[in-house]
């Protein structure tokens, strides 16, 4: 269906819904590269005004990627909850924004409506929102998940301890893990990106982290971020897999480029569940996403990168993950050029995922060829702390020496907790206090050389 | 300036500082409140500054030309379709193709055929090319000559991506293209060189058609080892008449390579 909007006698025509969505998107380099972006400032606002008047019902009738051709579209349509949708079905996108922001719409209502919201509806409304709107609505949502601890509670702010090493050297990894734990990091997960994607290398790292966790009775979970097929393989060989990781995208073709399908994810989900390793809950999946991955795989199907990203959240929510995060600034400047674009994208990703009911974290990050620096990351991590982001990364000194990019440091997480009065996951917080690493007021204590972790941990 | 009655503000170092021996990761930095101590903060800024300067560095065409001519090679300076560094970073497609003037320059050469076309491209760190590329090539050339392989004129390519070697190699009618290009700078390695080779280069090829040798720098893969690896790949590629994933096995290694 075609859409149009007139501004001062200029008639803007948009040939279909996906064109309106793309042209309404705040500017970013990836949409320009894909030749999908609005050509003028006025055209962008014309598209936003058009979008504001489109009824949410239209999103159920007009698939932006055909149902027959794409299993993500089929998942979105087939799993749509019509009764949850009934509360908002008479809204236009513009009215939906007003409803989301209004004082009377609270966390419980957002939670109830969530299964009735499709990724395209979330993406659409985000395109009409300013950064403060994205923060304000996300901040109302609470998405709680559990495995060996409880993540996402209001007032809590967690970290993935990311102790990567360019050659997977066990002592190098252990040194970074110890550094992180002593700085209070690792309640979301201790997660390693392996340099070598082989069954034996992955199994070795899994055993190493599991032994550490058991030795010190740390209420957290571990993960080696290998491909899902490899996780399946090592699970069959009884390796201690807490969480199954996978990068996912918002189109069937993107997922093909990652070597996955919904059925493969389902197989891995069932396998991880059957291990029953969780103690307080059984959310067993960990997904990473990021704007631009579909275009990068030439699999965007003419859909803008933010809408593609939101569609990935439909894939994620099918498998009740413990953790999801966008690796927002990793993709590079041809998709997100500078600190402004990275910031906007991160707030969109966090908002859309929370609205769709996901336990969203963000890898607040950039590469050296992006027009960004530590100041941009400081701004973004503060905004995400205010928005109620579930977790960020913890990398020694913000410098990942294996993936060669800059993420957030253990210090950054302490800063956010300090300035916003946020605390780690309750079980992990109790452990930090037991270890004498945190006082009763939540202040980190400097460990002595005689500290148990320093004396007993094998490095 | 501190005086004896005003002692310097002392920051205790983390007692696990000795673990730095096991990793280059920035561990045991200490903290002031939740912040980084001043020295650690400035160390990071300096590393980032080096990486940023590398991104905006440019090929030293005069020095490179002199050095290459000393090696007995002829040199051609060409440009991609990119106009500015800002455009380069946002439009990888334009960095993969020569501009019209550059195409004309090659065509007027009326090139004969050659076994290997060699390209020096700025990529994301021209300084890596300025520092390392001639040294690697100087060690590679004798091996190529001994194997009876001919080389086309060396192209210095500005604002270029890896795939520009497809455009250049096909215009120079080369059997194989070899491009030396500055890699994306890391905080600890702002000047790291990569080399990519492609059998029967032609526009439109993708990464699975190429083989890559990365991290070429004195602190990484040293020049002699890089030259040896590249020669081995070149010889195998020409012998088996293919490159890319087909040339390397599952583990990313050539038969016999450890």
């Amino acid at each position: 269906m075609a859409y149009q909007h007139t501004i001062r006698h200029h008639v803007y025509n948009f040939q279909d819904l996906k064109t309106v969505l793309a042209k309404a998107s705040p500017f970013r380099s990836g949409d320009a590269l894909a030749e999908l972006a609005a050509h003028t400032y006025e055209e962008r606002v014309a598209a936003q005004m058009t979008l504001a008047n489109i009824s949410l019902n239209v999103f159920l009738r007009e698939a932006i990627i055909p149902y027959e051709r794409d299993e993500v579209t089929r998942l979105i349509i087939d799993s749509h909850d019509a009764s949850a949708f009934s509360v908002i079905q008479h809204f236009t996108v513009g009215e939906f924004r007003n409803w989301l922001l209004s004082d009377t719409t609270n966390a419980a209502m957002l939670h109830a409506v969530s299964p009735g919201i499709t990724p395209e509806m979330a993406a659409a409304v985000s395109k009409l929102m300013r950064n403060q709107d994205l923060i304000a609505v996300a901040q109302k949502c609470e998405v709680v998940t559990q495995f060996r601890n409880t993540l996402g509670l209001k007032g809590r702010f967690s970290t993935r301890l990311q102790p990567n090493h360019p050659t997977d050297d066990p002592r190098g990894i252990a040194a970074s893990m110890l550094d992180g734990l002593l700085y209070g990091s690792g309640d979301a997960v201790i997660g390693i990106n392996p340099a070598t994607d082989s069954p034996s290398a992955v199994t070795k790292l899994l055993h190493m982290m599991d032994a550490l966790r058991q030795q010190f009775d740390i209420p957290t979970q571990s993960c080696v971020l290998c491909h899902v097929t490899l996780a399946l393989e090592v699970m069959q060989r009884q390796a201690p897999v807490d969480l199954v990781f996978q990068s996912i995208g918002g189109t069937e073709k993107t997922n093909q480029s990652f070597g996955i399908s919904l059925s493969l994810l389902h197989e891995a989900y069932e396998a991880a569940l059957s291990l029953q390793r969780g103690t307080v809950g059984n959310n067993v999946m960990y997904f990473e996403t990021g704007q631009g991955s579909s275009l990068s795989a030439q699999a965007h199907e003419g859909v803008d990168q933010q809408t593609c990203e939101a569609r990935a959240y439909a894939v994620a929510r099918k498998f009740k993950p413990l953790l999801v995060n966008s690796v927002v600034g990793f993709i590079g400047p041809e998709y997100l050029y500078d600190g402004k674009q990275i910031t906007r994208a991160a707030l969109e990703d966090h908002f859309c995922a929370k609205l769709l009911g996901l336990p969203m974290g963000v890898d607040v990050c950039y590469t050296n060829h992006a027009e960004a620096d530590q100041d941009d990351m400081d701004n973004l991590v503060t905004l995400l702390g205010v928005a109620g982001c579930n977790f960020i990364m913890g990398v020694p000194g913000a410098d990942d020496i294996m993936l060669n990019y800059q993420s957030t440091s253990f210090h950054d997480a302490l800063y956010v907790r300090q300035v916003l009065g946020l605390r780690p996951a309750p079980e992990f917080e109790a452990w930090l206090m037991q270890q004498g690493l945190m006082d009763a007021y939540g202040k980190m204590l400097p460990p002595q050389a005689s500290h148990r972790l320093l004396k007993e941990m094998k490095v | 300036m501190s005086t004896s009655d005003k002692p310097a503000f002392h920051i205790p170092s983390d007692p696990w500082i000795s673990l730095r021996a096991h990793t280059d990761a920035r561990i045991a930095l200490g903290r002031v409140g939740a912040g980084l101590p001043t020295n650690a903060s400035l160390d990071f800024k300096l590393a980032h500054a080096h990486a940023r300067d590398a991104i905006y560095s440019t090929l030293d065409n005069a020095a490179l030309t002199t050095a290459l001519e000393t090696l007995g090679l002829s040199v051609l300076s060409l440009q991609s379709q990119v106009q500015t560094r800002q455009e380069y970073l946002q439009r990888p497609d334009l960095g993969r193709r020569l501009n019209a003037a550059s195409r004309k320059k090659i065509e007027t050469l009326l090139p004969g055929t050659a076994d290997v076309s060699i390209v020096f491209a700025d990529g994301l760190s021209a300084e890596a090319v300025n520092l390392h590329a001639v040294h690697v090539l100087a060690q590679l050339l004798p091996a190529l000559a001994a194997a009876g392989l001919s080389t086309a004129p060396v192209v210095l390519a500005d604002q270029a991506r890896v795939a520009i070697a497809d455009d250049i190699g096909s215009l120079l009618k080369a059997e194989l293209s070899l491009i030396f290009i500055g890699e994306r700078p890391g905080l600890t390695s702002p000047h790291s060189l990569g080399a990519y080779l492609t059998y029967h280069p032609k526009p439109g090829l993708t990464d699975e058609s190429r083989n890559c040798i990365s991290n070429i720098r004195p602190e990484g893969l040293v020049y002699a080892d890089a030259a040896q690896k590249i020669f081995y790949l070149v010889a195998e590629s020409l012998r088996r008449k293919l490159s890319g994933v087909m040339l390397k096995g599952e583990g990313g290694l050539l038969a016999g390579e450890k």
Side-chain angles (χ1 to χ4, degrees), chain A residues 179 183 368 371 399 404 411, chain B residues 14 16 26 30 52 56 184:
Chain A
D179 195 57
Y183 277 88
N368 286 323
E371 293 293 319
D399 174 10
N404 270 319
H411 296 71
Chain B
D14 288 329
W16 59 97
R26 294 171 194 259
R52 296 298 291 159
Y56 286 93
R184 193 181 89 197

Side-chain angles (χ1 to χ4, degrees), chain A residues 130-144:
Chain A
R130 286 165 47 193
N131 285 4
Q132 74 162 244
D133 304 338
L134 298 171
I135 293 169
V137 177
Q139 203 250 359
K140 292 193 207 183
C141 301
E142 184 179 42
V143 182
V144 178

Side-chain angles (χ1 to χ4, degrees), chain A residues 27 29 33 35 164-165 169 171-172 175-176 178-179 182-183 330 333-334 337 366-374 396-399 401 403-406 411-412 414-415 418 444-449 454 459, chain B residues 12-16 19-20 22-37 44-45 47-48 51-52 55-56 85-93 96 124 161 184-189 206:
Chain A
F27 180 77
S29 49
L33 183 62
E35 297 178 4
N164 295 342
H165 188 275
D169 178 66
R171 301 178 86 179
S176 289
L178 184 60
D179 195 57
L182 293 168
Y183 277 88
F330 189 73
E334 61 268 46
Y337 182 63
Y366 65 106
T367 57
N368 286 323
H369 61 323
E371 293 293 319
D373 60 21
Q374 293 299 98
D399 174 10
I401 58 171
L403 293 172
N404 270 319
Y405 77 124
Q406 284 89 254
H411 296 71
D412 294 332
L414 293 178
Y415 148 78
Q418 189 180 84
M444 291 303 291
L445 300 168
Q448 302 302 306
L454 285 169
V459 178
Chain B
S13 69
D14 288 329
W16 59 97
L19 296 184
R20 283 191 191 167
H22 303 307
T23 180
D24 290 332
R26 294 171 194 259
I27 62 167
L29 296 177
R31 60 183 178 85
V32 280
L36 279 178
F44 185 103
K45 275 193 173 178
H48 189 238
R52 296 298 291 159
I55 296 278
Y56 286 93
R85 205 60 182 162
Q86 285 73 15
E87 186 177 53
Y88 178 85
L89 293 169
Q90 295 179 74
R91 292 293 303 270
D93 52 329
R96 296 183 188 120
L124 288 167
R161 301 264 172 182
R184 193 181 89 197
L187 284 191
T188 46
S189 55
T206 54

